[in-house]
Amino acid sequence: MKVLVIGGGAREHALCRSLSLDPDVTALYCAPGNAGIADVAELHEVDALDGKAVATLATDLGAGLVIVGPEAPLVAGVADAVREAGIPVFGPSQEAAQLEGSKAFAKDVMAGAGVPTARSYVCTTPAEVDEALDAFGAPYVVKDDGLAAGKGVVVTDDLAAAAAHANACDRVVIEEFLDGPEVSLFAITDGVTVVPLQPAQDFKRALDGDQGPNTGGMGAYSPLPWADPKLVEEVMQTVLQPTVDELRRRGTPFSGLLYAGLAITSRGVRVIEFNARFGDPETQVVLARLKTPLSGILLAAANGTLADLEPLRWSDDAAVTVVIASHNYPGTPRTGDPIEGLAEVAAEDAPHAYVLHAGTKRDGDTVLSAGGRVLSVTASGKDLTQARTRAYRAVERIRLDGSQHRTDIAAKVAEAAAE
């Protein structure tokens, strides 16, 4: 099977890496890709938001499966255009992708499905904002209703900062703060059957100790030794299956990757948010542990045959990913700096550790930074301690002027698990 992946970040590199190791994949293409993806897939230029252009490219390449990675093309209806061209596509329709594209839509679906989530208000005026902030009190949770590339959420004790963020958005969701640790759980669905993947935890804050501003994610790990063994089963029954059933009932069946961001609160599991695609950087660690070939799973979701799939096979190993970000991320990041040490990681740390590219581009023989999050250094090991050691050993080989990374990804949980 020939496979085309749409996107150019570390999530897409993780997908392409898994697909490149898949015996059923005879040709692998990525558009637009990045400097690292070029090592495992043939790159093509395309406007990822132009459904017709993506469908034409897929047709020209003879693709038997198209995987739409990022959220913006899904919300723009790219998957619909590929489906209309008669090509199997992994990714929800434009209507179903509103589960991520609109926080208010997601809240409405959750209400219809009886899914546990934070109480919330949808606000469009300063007066409504003030009333909602007053109703919930600190810490204030303010979410831009639309897509914001992981940076549309502010959680703060500062009332003025919360109000400022809310009033800068056209429409905003203000909700109660959920206590407890957060978990990311991905599920693959064809609109009827739901197949959960292994849970992961990511680190949103820019700095060690969960300090600093929210980012798109600075690292992740899997599995979660502290989580209830029945967590996945519980989330399947109370969140994932009811949501898929509700969307189908509404006439907007969801086919693709359903991501549930969860808080394990003192009152039970609550949904923080839904995404309509693989999350970054959790994908990097989840796919590092998946032993079942990826293409067959995604094709079954695209073709509506997930119920016929064998149970997924997983490695018992742990996986950790550490994001290396450019200077000033998540503000206006500095780009164009040369990245050194990639060959050293490949020579010294493979196969246990490897580098997935996010914001990179090639200039002759030199790889340059080209975004805020530049690299995801991913490693596996017999436990989280070994996976962390391998990941950070590889991180130390990377040289990027002004770069930053957290030094505490999975540190606390690794220490607790080792005791």
Side-chain angles (χ1 to χ4, degrees), residues 13 17 36 39-40 339-357 362 375-378 390-391 393-399:
H13 194 175
R17 180 182 181 275
D39 292 336
V40 293
I339 303 165
E340 298 176 334
L342 297 171
E344 291 171 40
V345 175
E348 302 291 335
D349 300 296
H352 301 299
Y354 48 87
V355 179
L356 298 169
H357 291 232
R362 191 172 287 281
L375 304 169
S376 285
V377 180
T378 303
R390 288 170 169 173
R393 186 188 302 144
V395 166
E396 292 307 313
R397 300 191 202 277
I398 304 293
R399 297 177 296 283

Side-chain angles (χ1 to χ4, degrees), residues 127-203:
E128 289 173 347
V129 165
D130 291 344
E131 190 177 336
L133 293 173
D134 184 57
F136 288 130
Y140 304 102
V141 181
V142 184
K143 299 181 176 182
D144 189 338
D145 181 52
L147 292 181
K151 303 184 195 73
V153 179
V154 166
V155 181
T156 179
D157 289 324
D158 185 332
L159 177 59
H165 180 67
N167 290 320
C169 304
D170 289 336
R171 186 159 81 149
V172 71
V173 173
I174 296 173
E175 61 185 40
E176 66 176 328
F177 177 77
L178 296 175
D179 64 330
E182 295 184 13
V183 173
S184 300
L185 185 63
F186 301 161
I188 290 169
T189 179
D190 57 10
V192 178
T193 301
V194 182
V195 177
L197 304 185
Q198 289 290 312
Q201 186 175 54
D202 78 331
F203 294 76

Side-chain angles (χ1 to χ4, degrees), residues 201-267:
Q201 186 175 54
D202 78 331
F203 294 76
K204 288 291 186 201
R205 298 286 186 172
L207 307 176
D208 284 5
D210 291 326
Q211 301 298 306
N214 258 354
T215 72
M218 294 299 290
Y221 70 93
S222 177
L224 313 182
W226 51 268
D228 187 325
K230 295 180 180 175
L231 175 66
V232 173
E233 184 183 330
E234 179 189 345
V235 175
M236 273 287 292
Q237 292 175 356
T238 62
V239 175
L240 297 170
Q241 192 70 56
T243 300
V244 169
D245 293 345
E246 173 67 12
L247 284 163
R248 189 174 69 252
R249 186 188 68 76
R250 291 174 176 228
T252 55
F254 188 104
S255 166
L257 194 290
L258 179 57
Y259 162 114
L262 308 164
I264 314 301
T265 77
S266 53
R267 292 171 295 146

Side-chain angles (χ1 to χ4, degrees), residues 34-39 335-343 355-370 374-375 398-401:
N34 62 38
I37 295 173
D39 292 336
T335 59
D337 289 309
I339 303 165
E340 298 176 334
L342 297 171
V355 179
L356 298 169
H357 291 232
T360 67
K361 65 179 181 182
R362 191 172 287 281
D363 181 14
D365 292 334
T366 306
V367 176
L368 303 176
S369 62
V374 181
L375 304 169
I398 304 293
R399 297 177 296 283
L400 172 61
D401 187 46

